[in-house]
Amino acid sequence: MASTLSEWKDKQVCVITCDGRSIVGALAGYDQLQNLILKEASERVYSPDADPETVPLGLYVIRGDNVAIISDRDEEMEASVGLSSVRAEPLDSVVQNIG
């Protein structure tokens, strides 16, 4: 994973957290535990009744154990798909079945 993250340093990424949040920003740093630092971060809050709300977060740290998915972000593709007007149910939290 670290080799992939090094390729995304200072590039736009999208992170889905284990509690179902969608956070976008520029990857400013990371460590061996996959703790992430995003600069100029914002959270996209989805709703079935309204367009997504963007909540600015600024410099933001995400603990590695709360990262479910991280991907590179293609802003041109997002614009062509019309992602700014997508309506959706919020994501559920990740549930771990240990036992």
Side-chain angles (χ1 to χ4, degrees):
M1 176 62 78
S3 63
T4 301
L5 289 178
S6 67
E7 296 170 11
W8 292 345
K9 185 97 165 40
D10 297 318
K11 295 188 177 166
Q12 289 289 314
V13 296
C14 178
V15 179
I16 305 297
T17 62
C18 291
D19 58 357
R21 298 170 67 195
S22 175
I23 301 172
V24 296
L27 182 63
Y30 61 91
D31 65 11
Q32 68 276 9
L33 299 175
Q34 202 175 334
N35 295 312
L36 305 175
I37 302 171
L38 302 181
K39 58 184 174 184
E40 300 175 14
S42 59
E43 179 180 1
R44 289 184 181 154
V45 181
Y46 292 94
S47 165
D49 304 320
D51 290 345
E53 178 184 352
T54 301
V55 179
L57 302 171
L59 188 63
Y60 199 73
V61 177
I62 304 172
R63 287 180 48 113
D65 61 355
N66 195 29
V67 174
I69 300 170
I70 180 170
S71 70
D72 57 340
R73 185 172 170 218
D74 185 345
E75 293 181 62
E76 289 180 22
M77 186 274 308
E78 288 179 8
S80 69
V81 171
L83 196 58
S84 62
S85 61
V86 169
R87 295 180 182 200
E89 291 287 335
L91 294 174
D92 290 333
S93 297
V94 173
V95 178
Q96 295 181 347
N97 293 323
I98 301 174

